């Protein structure tokens, strides 16, 4: 991780100022053609003194539009200063974290994981349609039952069938024999093209799929398939902790990845990341988008450049080593918490390179779960699990007060 350096506050401010100078300035320049040009001056003060030391807020108020994708083709020239910063942030994520080769990927800062996931399935659906003459009924999405509901949402929008594979209750691993049965059935029903969604950290368990399980089964059937990684939750933690990441661009089956910056990276909401191999994003080209310079090959259309600058700021505030240290602390805290649970004989699931602990609900009194704001797997029906996410603000002290109360009830019921 050589190019991911930590920058000083002054270096960051200078870089952002330089970028904003290269953008059109709505306050001074004559800009006649853009609809949302300047933010309402009665509400957003562009001369507030605190803005000088706050690069993300300055960018927010100057309101650059990052519509489209800036890693390929020509981009809207009015905002080329901050577009370059978006490319710098994407380079750090795609190359340093997910091992893409420089210049061999495309991507953009999306509104979140949902959008990035839908962008991926849209891209693969069109690819199968355009290059294989596939009919929509012949294409299916494939994902585990622990997969985020945005996959079901996207399947509904794009009119694709979704095959949900059951997982084993305590390991959360894909049930291989059931996977095989479901694929055989799908082939019998006329499916020829499969879009696989692999999880790098499911929302409820933090479980990580083994992509080879899918590959081994799918290759036995007359099918064509492509793989996407949903790293919305785990993308900024798992790759740093695992000694053997099978879910990045070194894996030839994987063509795209979703990461959320508004989860582990702690960027403002509305900040996700879509990445794919070079040559793929063009499958979603909408030729009608001709008023946008270059081409709009993204799902969302207009979006704020401030989100891209926020990602850049967070990454350069830590640098590769600083980020690793931060994540390592969370891992150690999670290890410690799991050890305490072992002593109390509480059943839980935990992926060793993630910071989520999912507790068996029958071992946790409802009142305790409520008091400590644990998140249940199901809100309406019978709930089997509660999760605890060990973030920066979840300190050993907080975990300890939870454990003390848990210990009291466990010793009564034991
Ligand atoms: C949160 C999450 C999403 C959806 O992301 P949004 O940013 O809320 O749209 C998708 N997949 C996983 C695994 C997630 O944890």
């Amino acid at each position: 991780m050589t190019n991911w350096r930590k920058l000083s506050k002054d270096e960051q401010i200078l870089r952002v100022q330089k970028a904003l100078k290269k953008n059109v300035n709505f306050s001074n320049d004559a800009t006649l053609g853009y609809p949302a040009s300047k933010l309402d001056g009665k509400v957003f003060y562009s001369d507030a003194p605190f803005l000088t030391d706050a690069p993300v807020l300055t960018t927010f108020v100057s309101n650059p539009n990052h519509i489209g994708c800036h890693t390929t083709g020509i981009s809207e020239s009015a905002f080329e200063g901050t577009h370059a910063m978006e490319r710098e942030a994407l380079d750090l994520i795609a190359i340093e974290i997910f091992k893409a080769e420089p210049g061999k990927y495309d991507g953009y800062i999306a509104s979140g994981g949902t959008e990035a996931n839908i962008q991926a399935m849209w891209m693969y659906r069109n690819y199968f349609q355009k290059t294989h003459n596939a009919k929509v009924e012949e294409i299916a999405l494939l994902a585990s039952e622990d997969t985020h509901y945005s996959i079901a949402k996207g399947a509904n929008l794009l009119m694709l069938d979704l095959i949900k594979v059951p997982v084993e209750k305590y390991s959360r691993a894909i049930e291989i024999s059931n996977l095989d049965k479901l694929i055989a059935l799908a082939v019998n029903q006329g499916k020829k093209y499969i879009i696989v969604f692999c999880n790098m950290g499911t929302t409820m368990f933090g479980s990580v799929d083994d992509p080879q399980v899918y590959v081994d089964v799918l290759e036995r059937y007359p099918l064509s398939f492509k793989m996407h990684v949903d790293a919305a939750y785990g993308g900024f933690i798992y790759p740093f902790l695992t000694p053997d990441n099978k879910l990045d661009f070194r894996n030839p089956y994987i063509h795209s990845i979703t990461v959320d910056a508004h989860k582990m990276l702690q960027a403002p909401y509305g900040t996700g990341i879509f990445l794919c191999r070079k040559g793929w994003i063009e499958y979603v080209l909408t030729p009608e988008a001709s008023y946008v310079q270059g081409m709009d090959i993204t799902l969302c259309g207009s979006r704020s450049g401030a989100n891209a600058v926020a990602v850049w700021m967070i990454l350069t505030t830590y640098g590769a080593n600083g980020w690793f240290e931060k994540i390592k602390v969370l891992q150690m805290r999670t290890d410690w918490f799991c050890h305490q649970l072992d002593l109390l004989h509480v059943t839980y699931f935990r992926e060793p390179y993630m910071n989520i602990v999912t507790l068996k609900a029958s071992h946790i009194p409802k009142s305790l779960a409520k008091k400590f704001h644990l998140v249940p797997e199901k809100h309406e029906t019978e709930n089997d699990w509660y999760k605890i996410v060990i973030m920066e603000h979840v300190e050993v002290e907080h975990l300890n007060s939870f454990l003390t109360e848990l210990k009291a009830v466990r010793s009564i019921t034991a």
Side-chain angles (χ1 to χ4, degrees):
M1 302 205 170
T2 44
N3 285 322
W4 182 2
R5 287 196 309 122
K6 175 182 169 147
L7 301 179
S8 71
K9 228 184 171 85
D10 287 341
E11 286 174 304
Q12 289 177 320
I13 291 172
L14 279 175
R15 177 69 191 91
V16 175
Q17 280 172 349
K18 190 177 134 208
L20 290 174
K21 274 206 195 90
K22 276 200 166 177
N23 284 2
V24 160
N25 183 333
F26 292 127
S27 314
N28 308 321
D29 305 347
T31 46
L32 308 181
Y34 298 96
S37 50
K38 200 181 165 314
L39 287 182
D40 190 308
K42 290 200 179 74
V43 180
F44 303 95
Y45 324 113
S46 51
D47 55 354
F50 59 84
L51 289 178
T52 39
D53 294 329
V56 177
L57 291 183
T58 310
T59 312
F60 182 80
V61 172
S62 96
N63 199 30
N65 192 348
H66 277 209
I67 188 167
C69 171
H70 313 303
T71 54
T72 181
I74 325 153
S75 300
E76 198 74 60
S77 55
F79 309 105
E80 57 193 6
T82 46
H83 288 173
M85 290 195 70
E86 174 165 326
R87 274 194 297 277
E88 289 171 26
L90 291 172
D91 260 0
L92 295 180
I93 301 165
I95 301 168
E96 306 293 329
I97 304 178
F98 291 102
K99 310 299 177 199
E101 286 176 42
K104 297 285 178 61
Y105 79 93
D106 283 312
Y108 71 99
I109 308 274
S111 60
T114 300
E115 182 191 329
N117 282 340
I118 297 173
Q119 170 87 12
M121 58 182 85
W122 185 25
M123 183 177 88
Y124 295 120
R125 189 200 67 173
N126 289 6
Y127 159 79
F128 284 127
Q129 288 176 326
K130 281 184 193 166
T131 64
H132 293 66
N133 248 324
K135 299 191 194 87
V136 173
E137 320 80 81
E138 294 170 337
I139 311 172
L141 289 159
L142 178 64
S144 86
E145 64 172 315
D146 283 345
T147 300
H148 189 266
Y149 70 88
S150 54
I151 311 308
K153 198 187 261 184
N156 180 275
L157 278 168
L158 293 167
M159 310 227 276
L160 299 172
D161 284 332
L162 168 59
I163 304 169
K164 268 198 202 176
V165 192
V167 298
E168 286 158 18
K169 183 160 182 187
Y170 291 102
S171 71
R172 308 316 289 182
I174 293 155
E175 288 182 359
I176 298 175
S177 61
N178 269 319
L179 171 63
D180 200 83
K181 275 185 211 145
L182 286 165
I183 297 301
L185 187 69
V187 169
N188 261 335
Q189 291 170 343
K191 298 288 187 244
K192 295 181 181 154
Y193 310 97
I194 305 285
I195 304 166
V196 188
F197 267 71
C198 289
N199 290 295
M200 182 188 285
T202 55
T203 315
M204 189 64 203
F205 295 89
S207 49
V208 175
D209 294 333
D210 179 355
Q212 199 57 37
V213 165
Y214 283 119
V215 172
D216 289 345
V217 172
L218 289 169
E219 286 197 327
R220 289 207 297 272
Y221 290 89
L223 288 167
S224 180
F225 68 93
K226 294 288 167 216
M227 277 187 161
H228 174 79
V229 177
D230 184 356
Y233 183 78
F236 285 111
I237 177 163
Y238 182 80
F240 298 86
L241 298 178
T242 178
D244 176 29
N245 190 358
K246 296 177 188 164
L247 292 167
D248 63 26
F249 287 118
R250 288 171 298 185
N251 182 335
Y253 294 101
I254 290 165
H255 283 61
S256 55
I257 301 176
T258 289
V259 203
D260 254 348
H262 59 213
K263 286 184 179 156
M264 282 310 297
L265 206 66
Q266 294 170 273
Y269 283 122
T271 312
I273 294 139
F274 173 77
L275 299 170
C276 65
R277 288 184 193 274
K278 202 98 199 144
W280 280 82
I281 197 168
E282 287 81 3
Y283 285 109
V284 302
L285 178 66
T286 307
E288 288 84 350
S290 59
Y291 76 90
V292 182
Q293 221 177 44
M295 44 187 185
D296 187 7
I297 40 186
T298 67
L299 179 53
C300 63
S302 293
R303 57 191 172 87
S304 171
N307 295 347
V309 172
V311 173
W312 185 92
M313 284 289 294
I314 297 169
L315 295 175
T316 58
T317 292
Y318 288 90
N321 296 326
W323 188 256
F324 174 71
E325 279 179 34
K326 173 169 158 148
I327 293 308
K328 201 70 194 163
V329 168
L330 299 181
Q331 185 189 29
M332 285 179 340
R333 235 182 250 171
T334 314
D335 288 349
W336 173 85
F337 182 62
C338 287
H339 180 63
Q340 304 307 309
L341 292 174
D342 289 338
L343 297 177
L344 293 175
H345 304 288
V346 170
T347 303
Y348 60 88
F349 174 86
R350 188 246 174 143
E351 148 64 49
Y353 306 118
M354 290 289 296
N355 59 337
I356 295 181
V357 183
T358 309
L359 309 158
K360 199 173 159 75
S362 59
H363 290 178
I364 312 292
K366 266 205 180 101
S367 56
L368 204 58
K370 202 169 167 201
K371 179 170 172 191
F372 286 89
H373 299 277
L374 309 195
V375 172
E377 183 188 24
K378 298 189 191 100
H379 284 273
E380 285 94 26
T381 48
E382 199 55 43
N383 174 45
D384 280 339
W385 300 96
Y386 286 113
K387 77 165 166 179
I388 292 184
V389 184
I390 319 280
M391 297 287 285
E392 206 171 21
H393 64 275
V394 183
E395 293 172 13
V396 168
E397 201 179 306
H398 306 122
L399 295 170
N400 240 335
S401 24
F402 170 75
L403 287 165
T404 308
E405 295 203 26
L406 183 60
K407 200 179 212 159
V409 283
R410 295 285 295 167
S411 55
I412 296 166
T413 50

